[in-house]
Amino acid sequence: MVNQKDVLKQVENMREEIVDFTKELVKIPTVNPPGEKYVECAALIAKKLLTIGFDARLVEVPSEELEELAPQGKGLPRVNVIGLLKGAAQRPTLHFNGHFDVVPPGTGWTRNPFSPAVDDGKLYGRGTSDMKGGIAAMIMAAQALVEAGVKLRGELAISAVPDEETGGFAGVGYLVKNRLIKADYAIVTEPSSIGTIWNAHKGALWLEITTLGKAAHGSLPFMGVNAFEKLVKVAQALECLKPKFMKKTSSHHVEPKEAMHPTIMIGGVVSGGVKVNVVPSSCSMTIDRRLIPEEKMVDAKKEVKEVIKSLSQKDLQLKIEVKSLLEAEAAVTSQREKICQTLAKNIKQVTNVTPKFNLCTAFLDMRFLVNQAGISTISYGPGLLRTAHTADEYILVDDLVIATKVLALTAMDLLT
């Protein structure tokens, strides 16, 4: 009978193959926005799953739904990969999930972001940490189980999806909406780091606020209504919410500790005006409001509405339009859940370190699986959040291998 030592040895023997598969994924520049090379990357992943022994298929979002689900994509296809490794029974089912889109490389790189290379134990390249390393780890964990001869009682499912970096609506959101993901447990292999489990994440409310004024010649500003000056009033009023947020504290552990409170970031994108000597008739700004799990989206929206209502009552010239850009609910899976306890046990076994349960300050695809599909879900994977989205992004090769071992043992515990 195959035991855990056999599986761990199998993974260790696959070290070079794990790195090579991660490199293959990174070489495909799946930059989002707009969402390039998705078909090519999905095909590579599906081929790998078929080679291992999965039933694998591609699920493309219908073209008529792209405008709603992926407006940033300029009509480019959105393709998801779903694979299933059958066991002796259909239950229980463990689902591994990861997104293959990456943010644009930006500037400041000292190497080609899409020519991955290992240097001093670090694998460099855009998406190594966020999160093609996680995709490689979950797929190679499955391969290790198969090659070690593990006989599954339940089923192991895998999905690789696009668009997480722009909200996930054409990825996990689409799969969950169409009931294409059904599982008892799920692990999203985001870069939590090998010693941390994200069993919760914050929510987000993104709004665009536009103030409307009246244009006039710059030498006669009193003839117009300056939309920028009105926008400044709105920004200052929203700034006054911050002391209120400091009185709200999440019960979940989070690092850095300042992130235990709700936050608001004003002016991520600001635009308006047409010329230096024209009173601006329209100005806009975005706000990024992050919710702790103890808050509700409806209350966060109400706070902003009340601020605007109060200003409008004091200034009859104030005309405001508010557009919702994104609403992402927070998600929580209790540390007492079996998936949390099983994963924590295996992290301790492989690393000899007791893992931490943390609240992720970002929002993740995990929310679709928890809130809409009702699946007991956590996020855990190799990679370093501090290098994600940065120039010279990298992942530690040792972490890749360790995470593969942890995922393989967790699947073995839950499915055999």
Side-chain angles (χ1 to χ4, degrees):
M1 184 177 178
V2 181
N3 59 37
Q4 290 189 336
K5 288 184 178 180
D6 298 324
V7 173
L8 292 175
K9 182 178 180 181
Q10 183 65 42
V11 173
E12 192 61 45
N13 292 339
M14 294 164 56
R15 175 179 288 261
E16 186 173 343
E17 190 176 353
I18 295 168
V19 172
D20 287 345
F21 184 52
T22 307
K23 286 181 177 179
E24 286 187 72
L25 293 168
V26 173
K27 286 177 183 177
I28 304 174
T30 47
V31 174
N32 180 30
E36 302 166 349
K37 303 289 185 180
Y38 282 178
V39 174
E40 183 179 341
C41 191
L44 171 65
I45 293 169
K47 181 180 178 181
K48 180 68 171 178
L49 291 175
L50 288 169
T51 301
I52 295 171
F54 279 76
D55 291 336
R57 61 188 175 111
L58 302 180
V59 178
E60 185 169 352
V61 176
S63 57
E64 62 268 21
E65 296 187 41
L66 291 178
E67 182 61 32
E68 176 189 357
L69 300 179
Q72 81 287 353
K74 301 178 181 179
L76 291 171
R78 264 52 193 164
V79 183
N80 296 274
V81 186
I82 293 181
L84 183 65
L85 188 64
K86 294 181 179 180
Q90 293 183 338
R91 300 283 298 276
T93 299
L94 171 63
H95 191 104
F96 287 155
N97 166 265
H99 69 87
F100 53 72
D101 61 315
V102 300
V103 297
T107 59
W109 286 78
T110 63
R111 56 189 73 229
N112 187 326
F114 299 110
S115 294
V118 175
D119 185 4
D120 192 28
K122 302 172 182 177
L123 174 58
Y124 288 88
R126 172 55 87 224
T128 47
S129 270
D130 189 13
M131 58 165 292
K132 289 178 175 177
I135 291 177
M138 69 189 194
I139 292 176
M140 298 308 292
Q143 181 174 322
L145 293 175
V146 171
E147 293 187 355
V150 174
K151 302 300 181 183
L152 298 182
R153 173 174 55 90
E155 295 185 334
L156 178 60
I158 282 180
S159 61
V161 301
D163 278 14
E164 190 275 345
E165 298 292 357
T166 49
F169 301 103
V172 176
Y174 178 81
L175 296 181
V176 167
K177 178 182 175 183
N178 289 277
R179 299 183 179 181
L180 296 174
I181 295 181
K182 297 178 182 179
D184 299 286
Y185 318 101
I187 299 175
V188 181
T189 55
E190 289 276 12
S192 64
S193 82
I194 58 169
T196 301
I197 299 169
W198 288 334
N199 67 305
H201 68 70
K202 282 189 171 183
L205 172 64
W206 292 354
L207 298 174
E208 181 183 67
I209 297 177
T210 302
T211 50
L212 304 175
K214 179 183 177 182
H217 195 283
S219 66
L220 302 167
F222 46 81
M223 299 293 289
V225 177
N226 192 317
F228 174 73
E229 291 177 356
K230 303 298 183 184
L231 191 66
V232 169
K233 286 186 176 181
V234 178
Q236 290 174 332
L238 290 172
E239 187 84 7
C240 292
L241 290 174
K242 290 184 177 180
K244 178 181 178 182
F245 294 162
M246 293 302 293
K247 296 178 181 178
K248 299 179 182 180
T249 303
S250 179
S251 61
H252 299 271
H253 182 265
V254 61
E255 296 174 358
K257 65 180 181 179
E258 292 82 359
M260 68 176 63
H261 308 291
T263 59
I264 187 169
M265 192 273 288
I266 303 168
V269 178
V270 180
S271 62
V274 294
K275 198 170 184 289
V276 68
N277 62 343
V278 178
V279 174
S281 62
S282 175
C283 282
S284 67
M285 67 179 180
T286 60
I287 68 170
D288 181 348
R289 167 77 158 86
R290 299 297 169 119
L291 291 71
I292 58 176
E294 290 82 359
E295 294 183 292
K296 295 181 179 180
M297 185 66 65
V298 64
D299 294 328
K301 290 193 287 187
K302 184 179 179 182
E303 284 175 338
V304 176
K305 288 180 180 178
E306 289 178 346
V307 167
I308 292 172
K309 181 179 178 181
S310 176
L311 287 174
S312 298
Q313 290 173 343
K314 297 174 184 177
D315 185 351
L316 298 180
Q317 285 188 323
L318 186 63
K319 295 181 180 179
I320 301 177
E321 294 178 350
V322 180
K323 179 182 178 181
S324 179
L325 302 178
L326 181 141
E327 297 178 20
E329 293 280 4
V332 177
T333 295
S334 169
Q335 296 179 28
R336 296 186 295 273
E337 293 280 339
K338 187 175 182 178
I339 183 66
C340 290
Q341 295 303 311
T342 304
L343 183 68
K345 174 182 75 72
N346 287 310
I347 293 172
K348 178 67 181 293
Q349 180 176 338
V350 174
T351 67
N352 202 31
V353 174
T354 301
K356 297 175 291 185
F357 286 94
N358 274 4
L359 167 69
C360 178
T361 58
F363 61 90
L364 309 170
D365 279 346
M366 173 180 164
R367 71 189 192 277
F368 295 112
L369 300 168
V370 172
N371 299 336
Q372 297 180 26
I375 299 171
S376 182
T377 306
I378 50 88
S379 290
Y380 171 79
L384 304 166
L385 192 60
R386 68 175 184 270
T387 77
H389 297 197
T390 67
D392 290 343
E393 177 182 352
Y394 68 85
I395 191 171
L396 299 174
V397 172
D398 284 346
D399 285 3
L400 260 177
V401 177
I402 288 170
T404 303
K405 291 177 178 178
V406 171
L407 293 171
L409 293 187
T410 300
M412 192 173 179
D413 279 347
L414 294 172
L415 301 178
T416 60

